[in-house]
């Protein structure tokens, strides 16, 4: 199933299994491919019964990889600092078996509504949405995991957001790098001792990725890098950068 028109979904483990989804799609004569909980098909399944019932949800495999790297466990306390439209929060909730708490932040009310609507469709009841700029998040609680899926230049998803190459400028990228730095600097103190900070972007720009993390670790020496990967964009997946860091005592 190669090609730009392939549609990617995550199978929602809170409601179903790959076996059940496979059986349903086969019965309906839909061509598909399943690898673990990742489903791909040339057919757009967004108006299909499996989507409406919350058994599948759209998500690129690179985006799915982010929650896998975070790897939250049931009963963990998680902060998703730049959450909308919520795909990674939903994925983490399924990995946590709907047990624990995820605070999903965004600066736009209509985007938080998308998270709330998605939670209802997927059967997720452990996500609390918060209208806030993550740079202003109160420093009165500590988290097992903080995920920053940062605002970025989006150069890893340019294949299906072609207008980006006309709108993105060097000046805008430099502004984004400053914003990313401000976010990372603020949330560093929200991670409990032994907890994890995971930073991800959908760009392949070194200044927003490797250099950003290098500067962060040089400034915040209490953190150490425990995992780093770059996913190069292809016809099968978006480009992504993911870095997981642990806070020492």
């Amino acid at each position: 199933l190669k090609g730009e028109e392939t549609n990617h979904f995550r199978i929602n483990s809170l409601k179903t299994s790959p076996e059940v989804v496979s059986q349903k799609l086969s019965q309906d004569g839909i061509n598909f491919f399943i690898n673990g909980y990742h489903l791909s098909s040339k057919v757009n399944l967004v108006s299909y019964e499996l989507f409406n019932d919350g058994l599948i949800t759209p998500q690129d495999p690179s985006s799915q990889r982010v929650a896998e790297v975070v790897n939250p466990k049931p009963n963990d306390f998680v902060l998703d600092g730049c959450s909308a439209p919520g795909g990674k929060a939903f994925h983490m909730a399924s990995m946590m078996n709907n047990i624990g708490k995820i605070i999903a932040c965004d600066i736009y009310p209509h985007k938080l509504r998308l998270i709330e609507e998605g939670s209802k469709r997927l059967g997720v009841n452990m996500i609390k949405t918060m209208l806030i700029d993550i740079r202003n998040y109160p420093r009165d609680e500590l988290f097992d995991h903080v995920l920053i899926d940062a605002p970025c230049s989006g150069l890893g998803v340019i294949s299906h957001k072609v207008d980006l190459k006309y709108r993105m400028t060097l000046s805008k990228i430099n502004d984004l790098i400053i914003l990313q730095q401000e976010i990372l600097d603020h949330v560093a103190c929200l991670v409990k001792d032994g907890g994890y900070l995971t930073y991800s972007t959908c760009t392949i720009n070194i200044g927003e990725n490797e250099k950003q993390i290098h500067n962060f670790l040089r400034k915040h020496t209490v953190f150490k890098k425990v995992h780093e990967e770059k996913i190069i964009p292809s016809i099968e997946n978006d480009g992504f950068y993911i870095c997981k860091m642990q806070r020492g005592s």
Side-chain angles (χ1 to χ4, degrees):
L1 291 178
K2 296 183 179 181
E4 292 180 350
E5 70 280 3
T6 299
N7 302 282
H8 298 282
F9 300 85
R10 180 179 58 82
I11 297 169
N12 180 16
S13 62
L14 295 177
K15 284 192 170 186
T16 190
S17 67
E19 293 74 21
V20 171
V21 170
S22 176
Q23 183 178 29
K24 172 63 176 171
L25 291 169
S26 297
Q27 287 175 350
D28 292 345
I30 294 174
N31 186 29
F32 66 95
F33 176 77
I34 288 179
N35 180 19
Y37 283 83
H38 169 238
L39 162 69
S40 56
S41 176
K42 300 291 186 181
V43 180
N44 188 346
L45 302 172
V46 168
S47 58
Y48 183 57
E49 179 183 343
L50 290 175
F51 172 84
N52 294 331
D53 293 344
L55 276 61
I56 62 172
T57 192
Q59 193 172 15
D60 184 86
S62 298
S63 176
Q64 293 182 37
R65 180 65 185 145
V66 175
E68 292 170 0
V69 170
V70 176
N71 195 27
K73 306 298 183 185
N75 292 310
D76 277 350
F77 190 24
V78 180
L79 176 63
D80 187 357
C82 310
S83 185
K88 298 173 185 66
F90 302 148
H91 193 181
M92 290 190 292
S94 69
M95 295 176 70
M96 297 165 69
N97 296 325
N98 229 356
I99 302 169
K101 187 175 182 180
I102 297 173
I103 298 181
C105 303
D106 202 85
I107 59 174
Y108 299 109
H110 69 280
K111 290 190 175 183
L112 290 180
R113 285 195 293 273
L114 291 176
I115 299 174
E116 291 159 2
E117 292 164 2
S119 294
K120 186 175 181 180
R121 181 176 64 84
L122 296 169
V124 174
N125 55 27
M126 57 172 293
I127 295 177
K128 175 188 175 184
T129 58
M130 181 177 293
L131 182 66
I132 192 171
D133 184 326
I134 192 62
R135 293 174 294 178
N136 299 323
Y137 196 91
R139 293 174 167 174
D140 55 6
E141 51 191 353
L142 298 176
F143 294 86
D144 298 293
H145 293 276
V146 174
L147 169 61
I148 298 299
D149 185 43
C152 70
S153 58
L155 300 178
V157 297
I158 206 164
S159 64
H160 50 89
K161 293 186 179 180
V162 182
D163 60 317
L164 267 176
K165 64 183 177 184
Y166 302 111
R167 293 189 288 108
M168 192 53 58
T169 64
L170 185 58
S171 175
K172 289 181 179 178
I173 290 176
N174 287 334
D175 288 343
L176 284 165
I177 289 173
I178 293 170
L179 173 60
Q180 294 158 359
Q181 178 186 328
E182 290 174 350
I183 291 172
L184 284 169
D185 285 343
H186 183 80
V187 302
C189 63
L190 300 178
V191 182
K192 75 176 188 180
D193 288 345
Y196 297 91
L197 169 59
T198 302
Y199 174 81
S200 66
T201 70
C202 58
T203 189
I204 52 175
N205 177 23
I206 291 176
E208 299 174 75
N209 296 335
E210 290 92 341
K211 287 185 178 179
Q212 185 72 268
I213 293 301
H214 174 78
N215 291 334
F216 173 82
L217 291 173
R218 187 172 57 183
K219 185 175 181 180
H220 300 272
T221 56
V222 72
F223 282 90
K224 65 178 180 180
K225 189 191 306 180
V226 295
H227 181 86
E228 182 180 39
E229 67 181 86
K230 176 179 278 187
I231 303 171
I232 303 301
S234 71
I235 58 174
E236 297 178 340
N237 53 255
D238 289 338
F240 252 78
Y241 171 81
I242 311 167
C243 185
K244 183 177 183 178
M245 299 163 282
Q246 185 175 28
R247 182 184 181 97
S249 55

